[in-house]
């Protein structure tokens, strides 16, 4: 039977898959110089970009130390197995995968991710076609009443699920999808028999940033619908995680990156209304409140960090529910470097209703007249009290101070205290409010963000090693970067290099891996060269170092040539020679020439030879 994927086909996938294209579907990348790209790491929360991608080599985060090649990236970002990642890339880049006959089958159990994506693509087309059917007239009326014509529906992929309850299942079965596949995809459920999960509803496809449909949102439109819930969403599946998906992100992501702005609305029709009105950075959550995982997705797409500050604008109703939602977002405001705002339409209208009543310009005006989120939240807290009374002002101050005390970013506290003072008025000054904030923090037992002693002990590295970026090891680092990134340029220049030329234990271990892989010459013309070296590492610290060295920009204004390479190789050898010279000089000082004449003369001769060797290397360095 067919078993594991052939190694040469995996190699072909690595050669053809462009890591910068794959990563760009998840992270907004910007030029980092030296042929490298950078962005916010998708694997940990950070405010400054430390995630680097080097086309043709791989990725590495200098913050959390995650790294690897394009296959490793997909495995980590989407929770795929190695085989699933290879299959997904093979589909994308047109590589036919062959399997060894009779070998162990390395495919994961259960339906493949590729099949779940294909099933959703077929379902989306099926639903879109049925929007034009006679049964969908009520769905078309629903859209028309909200200002969406046929072209708008097509642009957003809106569809209709037939009411009979089995049409999609029969259609998918005819397209050779198994029951296991469509159930795993969340498109079909099983009771006394298989039945369509969505029946007699208007549907919106929920897509990944890549444009692949991974789920649906379904709106109730018939009064006799037995399910009372206004909206139904695809259940959690291997490809659909509601806490991580945003409706409209496939359409908004490019403009988000370009403008460093994201607008968060509450529903599918609000996203449509915003985009059609010209606010093309609008997205919405899918059947759940906006949470931490959603924030991480936005930050990656916004390139939200110190160098590129942007805006995240939330649209809330002005009612109590909207105020609660704003308060929740405010408490998580520190997830962003971007400034957070809130936009509230008159009479509490959502963007869709606003567009119907007042037109596209009103939607654009709503976003343009946003107000800072902190100001909206603090105002809602303060205005609940009678500020004409002294005790009311004190109570308002205490409540507002309690809210401010929960903020992790202490640099904002003084500004918020000044805002509270202006809102409350009376004789309460900023210093009084700051004192109340400190008391509130003490009462609430707010946790210090600094690690406790035991946490610091657990976080301490397994081995106390010098920093890999210590200037003492700069030549070692640059040489290894050339070995991993430009093996063809470094060629035979490294013939004289040995493990003893590397003083940092991790760099010495990296060189040992290079030697075990056949030396730099073995990487000539091999796009998986760095991956092969990294995969041979058994120590996580060494593996991380390889991925970092493979993507970190080389400080050259041009493609490294023989002269550039020679400079670092000869400098590395010179440093080794200087260490040896210093060692022999030290021994000579400790040796009595009268008592140990032979040893003294031997060391003196070795020192002379080393000095000559150093001068030769110095001439080569100058010549290079």
């Amino acid at each position: 039977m067919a078993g594991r994927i052939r190694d040469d086909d995996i190699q072909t996938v690595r050669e053809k898959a462009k890591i910068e294209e794959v990563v760009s579907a998840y992270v907004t990348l910007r030029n980092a110089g030296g042929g490298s790209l950078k962005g916010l790491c998708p694997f940990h929360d950070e405010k400054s970009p430390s995630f680097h991608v080097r086309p043709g080599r791989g990725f590495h985060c200098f913050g959390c130390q995650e790294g690897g090649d394009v296959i490793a990236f997909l495995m980590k970002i989407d929770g795929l197995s190695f085989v699933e990642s290879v299959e997904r890339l093979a589909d994308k880049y047109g590589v036919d995968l062959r399997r060894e006959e009779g070998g162990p089958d390395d495919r994961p159990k259960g339906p493949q991710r590729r099949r779940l994506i294909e099933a959703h693509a077929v379902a989306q087309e099926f639903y879109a076609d049925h929007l034009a059917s006679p049964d969908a007239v009520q769905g078309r009326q629903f859209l028309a009443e909200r200002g969406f014509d046929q072209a708008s529906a097509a642009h957003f992929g809106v569809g209709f699920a037939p009411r009979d309850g089995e049409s999609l299942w029969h259609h998918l079965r005819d397209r050779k999808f198994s029951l296991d596949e469509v159930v795993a995809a969340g498109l079909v459920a099983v009771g006394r028999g298989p039945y369509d999960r969505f029946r007699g509803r208007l549907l919106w496809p929920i897509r990944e940033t890549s444009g692949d449909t991974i789920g649906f949102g379904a709106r109730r439109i018939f009064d006799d619908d037995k399910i009372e819930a206004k909206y139904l969403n695809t259940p959690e599946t291997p490809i659909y995680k509601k806490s991580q998906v945003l409706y409209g992100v496939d359409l908004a992501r490019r403009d988000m990156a370009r403008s460093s702005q994201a607008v968060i609305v509450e529903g599918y029709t609000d996203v449509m209304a915003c985009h059609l009105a010209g606010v093309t950075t609008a997205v919405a959550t899918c059947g759940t409140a906006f949470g931490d995982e959603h924030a991480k997705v936005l930050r990656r797409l916004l390139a939200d960090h110190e160098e590129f500050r942007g805006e995240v604008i939330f649209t809330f109703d002005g009612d109590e529910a909207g105020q609660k939602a704003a308060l929740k977002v405010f408490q998580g405001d520190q997830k962003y470097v971007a400034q957070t705002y809130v936009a509230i339409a008159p009479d509490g209208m959502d963007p869709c209703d606003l567009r119907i009543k007042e037109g596209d310009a009103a939607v654009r005006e709503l976003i343009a007249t946003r107000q800072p989120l902190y100001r909206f939240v603090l105002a809602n807290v303060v205005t609940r009290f009678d500020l004409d009374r002294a005790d009311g002002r004190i109570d308002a101050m205490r409540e507002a101070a309690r809210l401010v005390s929960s903020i992790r970013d202490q640099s904002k506290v003084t500004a918020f205290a000044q805002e509270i003072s202006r809102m409350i008025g009376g004789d309460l000054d900023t210093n009084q409010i700051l004192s109340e904030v400190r008391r509130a923090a003490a009462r609430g037992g707010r946790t210090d963000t600094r690690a406790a002693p035991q946490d610091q002990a657990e976080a301490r590295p397994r081995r106390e090693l010098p920093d890999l970026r210590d200037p003492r090891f700069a030549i070692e680092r640059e040489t290894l970067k050339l070995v991993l990134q430009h093996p063809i340029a470094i060629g035979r220049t490294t013939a004289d290099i040995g493990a003893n030329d590397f003083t940092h234990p991790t760099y010495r271990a990296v060189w040992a891996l290079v030697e075990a892989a056949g030396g730099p010459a073995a990487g000539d013309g091999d796009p998986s060269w760095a991956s092969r070296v990294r995969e041979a590492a058994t120590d996580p610290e060494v593996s991380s170092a390889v991925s970092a060295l493979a993507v970190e920009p080389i400080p050259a204004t041009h493609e490294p040539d023989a002269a550039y390479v020679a400079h670092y190789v000869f400098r590395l050898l010179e440093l080794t020679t200087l260490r040896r010279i210093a060692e022999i000089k030290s021994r000579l000082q400790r040796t009595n020439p009268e008592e140990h004449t032979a040893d003294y003369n031997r060391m003196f001769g070795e020192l002379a030879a080393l000095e000559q060797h150093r001068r030769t290397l110095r001439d080569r360095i100058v010549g290079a």
Side-chain angles (χ1 to χ4, degrees):
M1 68 177 194
R4 65 188 302 275
I5 301 172
R6 290 175 54 165
D7 288 341
D8 52 348
D9 288 346
I10 295 174
Q11 179 69 8
T12 301
V13 168
R14 282 195 171 109
E15 291 174 4
K16 290 194 173 183
K18 296 181 179 180
I19 190 168
E20 64 273 24
E21 289 183 356
V22 175
V23 174
S24 290
Y26 302 85
V27 180
T28 295
L29 296 174
R30 300 182 187 275
N31 192 346
S36 184
L37 304 167
K38 69 178 179 180
L40 287 173
C41 180
F43 306 124
H44 82 288
D45 197 24
E46 61 179 3
K47 290 192 173 183
S48 295
S50 56
F51 180 82
H52 283 247
V53 173
R54 192 168 186 83
R57 296 297 175 189
F59 74 94
H60 183 81
C61 175
F62 293 93
C64 68
Q65 307 308 315
E66 286 288 348
D69 62 6
V70 65
I71 297 173
F73 178 80
L74 278 187
M75 290 174 66
K76 179 71 177 177
I77 194 77
D78 283 333
L80 305 179
S81 69
F82 178 85
V83 175
E84 288 173 318
S85 296
V86 172
E87 290 176 336
R88 186 168 169 187
L89 291 169
D91 287 340
K92 179 177 178 65
Y93 290 97
V95 178
D96 293 326
L97 297 178
R98 298 164 294 173
R99 295 180 181 270
E100 303 286 355
E101 292 297 326
D105 194 342
D106 57 1
R107 285 173 291 191
K109 303 302 179 184
Q112 299 176 21
R113 185 183 194 281
R114 174 177 58 85
R115 291 292 287 169
L116 304 186
I117 293 292
E118 289 174 354
H120 273 86
V122 171
Q124 197 275 318
E125 183 180 11
F126 175 85
Y127 289 140
D129 289 344
H130 275 77
L131 185 60
S133 68
D135 288 344
V137 61
Q138 202 154 328
R140 295 194 295 274
Q141 289 175 351
F142 175 93
L143 293 171
E145 289 168 0
R146 286 155 180 78
F148 306 128
D149 57 17
Q150 183 178 350
S152 300
H155 179 68
F156 291 94
V158 183
F160 175 77
R163 304 192 72 183
D164 61 27
E166 296 181 354
S167 294
L168 177 64
W169 158 233
H170 293 157
H171 181 69
L172 290 168
R173 185 182 60 188
D174 291 344
R175 295 287 291 270
K176 308 304 181 186
F177 288 96
S178 69
L179 181 60
D180 285 346
E181 288 172 334
V182 296
V183 169
L187 297 168
V188 172
V190 177
R192 281 179 281 185
Y195 63 92
D196 298 349
R197 184 170 292 276
F198 303 118
R199 304 175 298 281
R201 289 194 169 222
L202 206 57
L203 286 106
W204 284 262
I206 300 167
R207 299 180 174 121
E208 294 181 309
T209 54
S210 63
D212 289 334
T213 299
I214 55 174
F216 291 93
R219 213 281 187 187
R220 188 176 192 267
I221 55 174
F222 293 109
D223 293 336
D224 60 352
D225 191 330
K226 294 180 180 179
I227 300 177
E228 292 294 330
K230 182 184 291 187
Y231 281 97
L232 294 176
N233 288 84
T234 293
E236 295 276 308
T237 72
I239 61 174
Y240 179 87
K241 309 295 181 187
K242 65 182 180 181
S243 64
Q244 300 172 5
V245 297
L246 291 164
Y247 174 70
V249 72
D250 56 308
L251 299 173
R253 65 179 302 272
R254 294 190 184 282
D255 284 344
M256 278 185 186
R258 187 179 302 114
S259 65
S260 289
Q261 180 196 77
V263 176
I264 317 301
V265 297
E266 293 189 347
Y268 306 122
T269 56
D270 293 328
V271 171
M272 294 176 70
C274 283
H275 279 253
L276 294 173
V279 182
T280 55
T281 57
V283 294
T285 58
C286 303
T288 185
F290 188 88
D292 292 352
E293 294 301 313
H294 296 122
K296 290 178 182 178
V297 172
L298 278 188
R299 292 199 65 241
R300 294 200 309 265
L301 296 177
L302 285 172
D304 176 34
H305 53 77
E306 298 291 350
E307 298 174 29
F308 298 96
R309 287 179 178 268
E311 297 180 348
V312 179
I313 304 168
F314 294 87
T315 60
F316 296 117
D317 291 337
D319 59 13
E320 184 177 352
Q323 293 173 17
K324 286 182 178 179
L327 178 60
K328 182 179 179 181
V329 172
F330 175 76
Q331 290 170 334
D333 187 43
Q334 294 80 44
K335 295 182 181 71
Y336 306 97
V337 174
Q339 302 298 310
T340 46
Y341 294 86
V342 60
I344 299 178
D347 301 323
M349 289 187 289
D350 57 36
C352 184
D353 290 335
L354 182 62
R355 179 171 178 262
I356 294 170
K357 186 175 180 180
E358 299 184 22
D360 291 348
V363 176
R364 295 193 295 271
E365 181 68 12
L366 168 67
I367 304 305
T369 55
R370 65 209 178 281
Q371 61 176 299
L373 176 65
Y374 75 87
R375 185 171 297 157
F376 172 77
V377 171
L378 292 176
N380 276 309
V381 169
V382 167
T383 53
R384 293 203 298 265
F385 299 89
D386 184 354
L387 301 182
D388 290 332
R389 295 170 53 96
D391 57 346
R393 292 193 294 274
I394 295 295
D395 290 342
M397 177 189 69
R398 288 174 175 167
E399 185 66 17
R402 185 189 62 79
L403 182 62
V404 171
S405 72
S406 66
I407 295 170
R408 294 194 300 273
D409 188 348
Q410 293 298 296
S411 66
K412 296 181 179 180
V413 170
T414 299
F416 288 168
Q418 292 170 343
E419 193 77 23
I420 295 169
S421 177
R422 285 193 294 270
M423 289 178 178
I424 296 177
D427 54 356
L428 295 175
D429 62 25
T430 301
N431 289 331
Q432 287 178 277
I433 295 169
L434 286 172
S435 296
E436 185 60 36
V437 170
R438 286 191 288 270
R439 284 192 290 271
R443 287 194 298 269
R446 185 161 54 89
T447 302
D448 196 328
T449 56
R450 292 172 295 184
Q454 61 267 29
D455 296 332
Q456 292 174 344
E458 291 174 3
R460 194 173 291 126
R462 289 177 295 129
R463 294 177 289 168
E464 291 293 340
L465 294 175
D467 188 342
L468 287 170
R469 292 178 171 278
D470 189 306
R472 291 176 294 165
F473 312 110
I475 298 299
E476 296 177 30
R477 186 177 188 88
E478 293 304 318
T479 303
L480 287 173
K481 282 160 60 175
L482 289 166
V483 166
L484 292 168
Q485 296 182 31
H486 298 278
I488 188 173
I490 204 160
R492 295 175 181 159
T493 317
T494 57
D496 294 329
I497 292 178
N500 290 334
D501 293 308
F502 297 92
T503 58
H504 195 294
T506 301
Y507 290 151
R508 190 180 306 122
V510 172
W511 177 255
L513 292 175
V514 169
E515 286 187 316
D524 187 358
D526 181 0
S528 64
W529 163 239
S531 297
R532 283 202 293 119
V533 173
R534 179 178 54 251
E535 288 168 2
T538 57
D539 186 331
E541 292 176 3
V542 177
S543 176
S544 177
V546 174
S547 68
L549 295 166
V551 304
E552 186 176 290
I554 289 174
T557 56
H558 54 78
E559 189 75 4
D561 55 17
Y564 184 89
V565 169
H567 172 83
Y568 283 100
V569 171
F570 294 145
R571 185 77 180 97
L572 181 68
L573 295 173
E574 182 188 33
L575 289 174
T576 302
T577 304
L578 287 170
R579 286 195 299 273
R580 182 67 178 149
I581 289 172
E583 178 186 333
I584 292 178
K585 284 183 176 180
S586 176
R587 287 171 58 191
L588 280 170
Q589 289 175 349
R590 299 193 305 270
T591 303
N592 187 325
E594 299 297 330
E595 295 178 5
H596 304 283
T597 304
D599 286 344
Y600 188 88
N601 290 337
R602 179 181 54 78
M603 286 189 289
F604 199 83
E606 187 177 351
L607 179 61
L610 286 170
E611 291 283 9
Q612 179 56 47
H613 182 56
R614 176 184 173 278
R615 285 192 291 271
T616 301
L617 289 171
R618 174 50 43 183
D619 290 342
R620 290 182 177 181
I621 292 169
V622 173

